[in-house]
Amino acid sequence: MLKYALLGYLNYHDSTGYDLKHEIDQSTGMIWHAKQSQIYTTLKALEKEKLIQSHIEPGEGKPDRRVYQITEEGRIDLKRWLAEPVTELNQLKDSLLLKLFFSGSQPAADLIAQLHLQKILYQEQLTRLDELEAHVANLVQMMPDFRRDFLLWEAIRQYGVSYTRNYLNWIDSTITRLETNFED
Amino acid sequence: MLKYALLGYLNYHDSTGYDLKHEIDQSTGMIWHAKQSQIYTTLKALEKEKLIQSHIEPGEGKPDRRVYQITEEGRIDLKRWLAEPVTELNQLKDSLLLKLFFSGSQPAADLIAQLHLQKILYQEQLTRLDELEAHVANLVQMMPDFRRDFLLWEAIRQYGVSYTRNYLNWIDSTITRLETNFED
DNA sequence: GAATACATGTAAAATGTTACATGATTTT
DNA sequence: AAAATCATGTAACATTTTACATGTATTC
């Protein structure tokens, strides 16, 4: 799957493993993330499959950069994947919720503290997503040819916002429930 | 992480790999899932770590069952994990949204069809979660000692409901947006 | 002077998926 | 007669994470 995320980005423009990491962190990071090391190894695998090709750009003073470019086979493979419908539900994995599920014997105060900590993290995430809005809106102005792409990017960003708000609401209502029903 | 899910269940009662799979599918499946084969191999690893132990129960007519039991070390390790706060945001992975992100060149009709298909899947999920409510409520009546546990299970179930509703709302509003803004 | 950004990668370990194998009993 | 349930597992493969290794330039 990371494979297709990388092909997707390289379909827009050539890039390096380093830059792709930043691009992912700032846009699809919310819905698909990867570590730097995995990006490097996946790019290497993609090149072996001839879906992308690379060349070295010497860095002046800075390290050399390996710049990847999508090939015709790569574009075909990406389009094939895009046309293929997703026929299954996405499966969540959420370790906070898993831990809470088994936390019936933990002190109520600890659980509430845990939820307060997570609340801060989700609030920060919401702020980051809000900041992204202006950025996406700006791109639409600059590149009208990509109107459809921006529309989808904005839809995904809004998914992130609603997901995060939902999480925050759930945290609040759970804190309240614990405070009122979890006494000893 | 699956490790702790299994320890968590075995902390309530002894079980087999087969039964644990069903239990997971029906309760934490929404927030943490695993394939049968992974459950078997993880149980084996857990036994090697002495966190659980097993014995064979001969099946009459049916296959033998390997029944696992949590050990004292297992309980200690589980409690240690439960007490440890989660200090990071959960990272989503959603292949539908990833595909949509790169779908600017796909026909609008295909994207709308894709969203309609997913809508059905999420509606079914919502139905399953609704059916679960009665089951959890029933358990509370039967086992008042587990009041705290049930409160948390119900909170997690409600998270599932709100997550699913949010997804459905997002699908609806995205279909509308595509219909009104994605014409050629 | 320390931390961050720039930039690449490898190796090992952990985690997860897919495919295979077996075989009786029960349900459709 | 075919499919599902019961029940266990292994092997191969794919994906992901963690840790290691290197070194310059810029910013705090």
Side-chain angles (χ1 to χ4, degrees), chain B residues 20-69:
Chain B
L20 283 164
K21 169 64 172 157
H22 291 287
E23 230 173 323
I24 290 171
D25 287 349
Q26 283 165 41
S27 58
T28 45
M30 172 88 209
I31 52 161
W32 205 276
H33 60 94
K35 305 272 166 173
Q36 186 71 72
S37 65
Q38 198 194 353
I39 291 172
Y40 283 126
T41 51
T42 305
L43 285 170
K44 185 164 263 196
L46 244 24
E47 187 163 37
K48 207 170 179 180
E49 282 188 81
K50 312 234 188 202
L51 303 178
I52 60 178
Q53 52 189 213
S54 70
H55 67 271
I56 299 287
E57 276 186 10
E60 296 118 37
K62 290 175 185 173
D64 292 354
R65 292 158 56 85
R66 181 177 291 275
V67 180
Y68 286 96
Q69 186 179 20

Side-chain angles (χ1 to χ4, degrees), chain A residues 1-2 4-9 12 27-34 38 78-108 110-111 114 117-118 121-122 125 128 147-149 151-156 158-160 162-164 166-167 170 173-174 177-178 181-184, chain B residues 1-2 4-9 12 27-34 38 78-108 110-111 114 117-118 121-122 125 128 147-149 151-156 158-160 162-164 166-167 170 173-174 177-178 181-184:
Chain A
M1 216 59 159
L2 176 61
Y4 292 108
L6 297 174
L7 281 179
Y9 282 113
Y12 286 120
S27 56
T28 45
M30 171 89 210
I31 51 161
W32 206 277
H33 61 95
Q38 197 195 355
L78 175 63
K79 266 168 205 164
R80 190 195 46 66
W81 176 72
L82 288 172
E84 212 170 73
V86 178
T87 57
E88 281 172 18
L89 270 175
N90 195 58
Q91 307 247 49
L92 279 183
K93 288 206 172 177
D94 190 311
S95 54
L96 171 76
L97 298 178
L98 183 68
K99 191 171 282 200
L100 252 30
F101 186 88
F102 294 111
S103 293
S105 303
Q106 293 300 113
D110 288 12
L111 299 184
Q114 171 69 88
L117 167 56
Q118 286 289 319
L121 297 175
Y122 279 98
Q125 174 158 273
R128 282 195 299 277
R147 209 188 79 258
R148 277 160 155 257
D149 302 74
L151 185 77
L152 291 167
W153 298 354
E154 177 58 15
I156 303 301
Q158 288 203 5
Y159 175 81
S162 70
Y163 169 86
T164 308
N166 178 63
Y167 215 114
W170 179 82
S173 70
T174 304
R177 268 204 262 180
L178 292 179
N181 297 310
F182 220 79
E183 311 297 334
D184 288 290
Chain B
M1 217 60 160
L2 175 60
Y4 292 109
L6 297 174
L7 281 179
Y9 282 113
Y12 286 120
S27 58
T28 45
M30 172 88 209
I31 52 161
W32 205 276
H33 60 94
Q38 198 194 353
L78 175 63
K79 265 167 203 164
R80 189 196 45 67
W81 176 71
L82 288 172
E84 212 169 73
V86 179
T87 57
E88 281 173 17
L89 268 176
N90 195 57
Q91 307 247 48
L92 279 183
K93 287 205 171 177
D94 190 311
S95 54
L96 172 77
L97 298 179
L98 183 69
K99 191 171 283 201
L100 252 30
F101 186 87
F102 293 113
S103 293
S105 304
Q106 292 300 112
D110 289 12
L111 300 184
Q114 171 70 90
L117 166 58
Q118 287 288 319
L121 298 174
Y122 279 98
Q125 175 158 274
R128 282 194 299 278
R147 208 189 81 258
R148 277 159 156 258
D149 301 75
L151 186 77
L152 290 167
W153 299 353
E154 176 57 15
I156 303 301
Q158 288 202 5
Y159 176 81
S162 70
Y163 169 85
T164 307
N166 178 61
Y167 215 114
W170 179 83
S173 70
T174 304
R177 267 204 262 180
L178 291 179
N181 297 310
F182 218 78
E183 311 297 334
D184 288 293

